[in-house]
Amino acid sequence: MATTVRRSTRTLPAAPLGPENPLPALLSLDEAHTLDEAERAALPAEMARQVGYAPLRSVLPTRVRDGYGRQRTPTRLDTLVLENDQLRVTVLPGLGGRIASLFHKPTARELLYVNPVFQPADFALNGAWFSGGIEWNIGATGHTTLSCAPLHAAQVPAPGGDGVMVRLWEWERLRDTPFQVDLWLPEDSDFLYVGVRIRNPHHRTVPVYWWSNIAVPEDPGTRVLAPAEETWYFAYERRLRRIPVPEWEGTDLTYPLHSRFPADYFYEVPKDSRKWIASLDEKGQGLVQTSTDLLRGRKLFVWGAGAGGRRWQQWLTEPGTPGYVEIQAGLARTQLEHLPLEAGGELAWLEAYGPLAADPETVHGADWAAARAHTERRLEVALPHGAVEAAYAAWRPYADAEPEGVPQRVGELGSGAEPGGGWLATGSGWGALEVERGGFTLPGTPFPLETLGAEQQPWTELLHTGSLPCGSEDVPPGPTLVAAEWRELLESAYAGAGPNADAAGKASRRELDYHLGVAQWHAGDRSQAVRSWERSLEQGARWPALRCLAVADWQDGNGARAADRYLAAARDARDRLDARDPLAAAALAALAREAVETLLAEDRAEDAERVLDGLPEEQRQRGRCQLLWARVLLAKGDREGARALFDAGFEVEDLREGEEALSDTWAELTDEPLPARYDFRMRP
């Protein structure tokens, strides 16, 4: 059959994503993948430079997604299906362009780990993420902020001009870089080809990051192979150590279940080696990924056989279902590194994914050198390295092919709306806004004005009129743009606002000062940010500016004033916001969580209790609030009450990767072993 592309749907139990957190993400990232200066000093020079280059400090201008739950109901997800005689590829354009399934027809084998549910968990840089399939991680160390966001998608001509491919693209907002992912299946090919391009349209160098993340089944006999004799081992002790492959301290770590705790293994792939990684089961069968040489890094992530890793596996899917491991490919040797992309430059490469069959006795019984050499020979037979290079060369002229038709906005998790012409799905309007501001020309990845929406409207007005419209005080402020160019526009608008304004003018200045403060904070100009938020208060603003000032106080070590301001902000928000509105309810809950953490740190348990009491019942019943209740009760000396909450059982929906609040609270409560349901520990 000729390669086809069609729209379809997939129905599975899914937890709703819920609203975004309206509070701007001012706080530093709680990112587990960090190294201190002493650790960096021991690394090779290039790696040390790239580990220290432009680390992300917050997820601004994106918002945190922490409003999801764990109650799943049958939900229809929009999919795109790319198919030839050998493979059927299922893509989720509304969820980061994730490849949900890669099915090999001749052997009737699924090559990926397919999650039977959609269950968000707090693993993305901005919160919501889900496991399974192949995801495209761009931006900064961690899972992309686009994990649960829609991408643009369109059908365009495939290399050679006699077929079709699916193009996915968006504007990555952390680094302001547009990117595209082109998927196509040559006729009769056992391999999916993926062309990737990241562009820097600016007049400045930008940091870039990319890791393709492939979830594969965690079968007991599975071995992961890559062309390396050493790996950089990173566990959750925040140390990066160079260790041998395959065996370290008497254990062959190329078998994922031989690891006890969750860990990353970044393979030291020689520059002159072919770039590939494979996961092969006890029969020598599985999936292989290979690429052109620019994508130099390869990695294995394992959950390990310990209690914490097993609990996370259950948490991300359903108990009783098989687990998974991740094999990955990236631009750098490790995920702790970022690379500079010069002004006007681009990075492009080609990846290929397909089945591989090797001799099981050689894969599992021979020494490591023989096993990987045999696997690479089998790959060369299945897909010669020259064929990958030729496919890349053939793809490059088609990377600029323009989609036909007109986009149409589609809803979260699939709405059934169909864009016109060659458009298959519609992403956000942020790219259109940036193209409108910068006048960028980006062949092949259009960001038309039709995609602009309500969130972009105030910023479109600022761009064209020089003034920022004021929103209602009855709803949380909209998102803030923080790039230098937008900050300059905000500063110009402030300079032109004038001090002698009427009531409407004061409201506009109040809004302007609030957003200007967020942009200044992001730029590192904290004193000016504080002054802007103080001016916002002077113009009549209340809880949004108070909360920002509380964050500033806490960062400056003034915990007492931070607690006072958080308490005042929580009271004011409760008086002004209608908790029946989902976005308002999200703001109240997020503000309460921050306030309670600060109040507890200042030994003000009674005030913390009053803040929790002021939340709507639905929010008080969420697992995060139950954990905070337990901590408040402990702070008040009510160990029995805190223990009763744990005994009754609760689930912290937004438990963060590497977070130890559950185990720490339990340890403060009792010397008894931590119950399995609360054991998410990722380190010894």
Side-chain angles (χ1 to χ4, degrees), residues 627-660:
L627 176 58
L628 289 173
W629 270 117
R631 292 175 58 196
V632 166
L633 291 171
L634 270 172
K636 293 175 62 180
D638 185 1
R639 304 173 73 85
E640 185 177 335
R643 177 61 185 263
L645 288 174
F646 273 90
D647 289 344
F650 58 87
E651 293 183 318
V652 182
E653 298 91 344
D654 61 338
L655 192 69
R656 182 71 175 166
E657 174 189 15
E659 182 181 352
E660 297 176 347

Side-chain angles (χ1 to χ4, degrees), residues 97-169:
R98 183 83 58 103
I99 294 181
S101 169
L102 185 61
F103 185 78
H104 188 236
K105 296 179 180 182
T107 58
R109 291 177 54 235
E110 174 59 57
L111 301 180
L112 304 175
Y113 166 76
V114 177
N115 198 330
V117 304
F118 172 72
Q119 178 54 65
D122 193 358
F123 278 74
L125 286 165
N126 63 336
W129 171 87
F130 65 106
S131 64
I134 304 172
E135 61 176 311
W136 319 111
N137 287 313
I138 182 173
T141 299
H143 294 281
T144 176
T145 61
L146 296 165
S147 291
C148 292
L151 301 191
H152 300 290
Q155 181 174 297
V156 294
D162 57 354
V164 293
M165 64 180 173
V166 171
R167 172 163 300 152
L168 305 163
W169 75 98

Side-chain angles (χ1 to χ4, degrees), residues 343-632:
E346 68 177 42
L347 295 173
W349 64 91
L350 184 126
E351 304 179 44
Y353 297 81
L356 191 68
D359 174 50
E361 292 187 5
T362 306
V363 168
H364 298 288
D367 66 23
W368 174 245
R372 70 175 194 265
H374 168 72
T375 303
E376 186 162 333
R377 287 194 298 271
R378 295 302 302 155
L379 170 60
E380 188 66 20
V381 170
L383 183 64
H385 183 56
V388 175
E389 295 290 342
Y392 173 73
W395 166 68
R396 289 296 282 147
Y398 288 83
D400 288 345
E402 294 288 352
E404 297 180 355
V406 180
Q408 179 179 332
R409 184 158 298 283
V410 296
E412 183 178 279
L413 292 183
S415 67
E418 293 190 357
W423 283 70
L424 300 169
T426 308
S428 78
W430 296 114
L433 182 65
E434 293 298 336
V435 169
E436 178 78 352
R437 182 200 56 75
F440 304 123
T441 300
L442 299 167
T445 54
F447 295 95
L449 295 178
E450 291 89 342
T451 61
L452 291 170
E455 286 191 324
Q456 293 83 42
Q457 187 276 326
W459 301 94
T460 303
E461 190 166 332
L462 174 66
L463 180 63
H464 292 297
T465 70
S467 63
L468 188 72
C470 181
S472 169
E473 287 191 79
D474 297 332
V475 296
T480 303
L481 296 183
V482 296
E485 296 85 355
W486 289 106
R487 189 172 71 253
E488 290 173 4
L489 287 170
L490 287 169
E491 290 168 346
S492 296
Y494 177 78
N500 300 316
D502 57 14
K506 287 183 178 180
S508 179
R509 287 196 64 185
R510 178 182 67 229
E511 187 100 348
L512 187 60
D513 275 321
Y514 166 78
H515 288 294
L516 181 56
V518 175
Q520 290 165 333
W521 179 272
H522 179 264
D525 194 350
R526 297 194 171 186
S527 60
Q528 285 298 321
V530 167
R531 182 63 191 126
S532 293
W533 292 325
E534 288 173 342
R535 286 198 308 263
S536 187
L537 280 179
E538 292 166 4
Q539 299 293 334
R542 296 302 298 165
W543 72 265
L546 279 170
R547 179 264 175 177
C548 291
L549 288 168
V551 172
D553 286 333
W554 183 256
Q555 295 290 295
D556 288 340
N558 194 337
R561 191 166 65 181
D564 287 341
R565 281 176 161 165
Y566 264 127
L567 193 58
R571 289 169 177 164
D572 184 66
R574 190 167 63 244
D575 292 340
R576 292 175 183 267
L577 298 179
D578 183 353
R580 294 171 296 183
D581 175 76
L583 201 60
L588 289 168
L591 183 56
R593 291 195 299 268
E594 290 185 15
V596 169
E597 293 279 3
T598 305
L599 290 164
L600 286 174
E602 291 298 306
D603 295 324
R604 294 171 61 173
E606 299 287 348
D607 286 333
E609 184 175 32
R610 280 190 283 271
V611 170
L612 289 174
D613 270 332
L615 285 175
E617 177 64 21
E618 182 180 356
Q619 292 293 340
R620 288 203 302 270
Q621 293 304 315
R622 285 178 63 87
R624 178 64 64 177
C625 282
Q626 292 293 296
L627 176 58
L628 289 173
W629 270 117
R631 292 175 58 196
V632 166

Side-chain angles (χ1 to χ4, degrees), residues 643 646-647 661-670 672-675:
R643 177 61 185 263
F646 273 90
D647 289 344
L662 275 170
S663 53
D664 287 349
T665 304
W666 179 264
E668 188 178 350
L669 181 63
T670 177
E672 296 176 22
L674 181 66

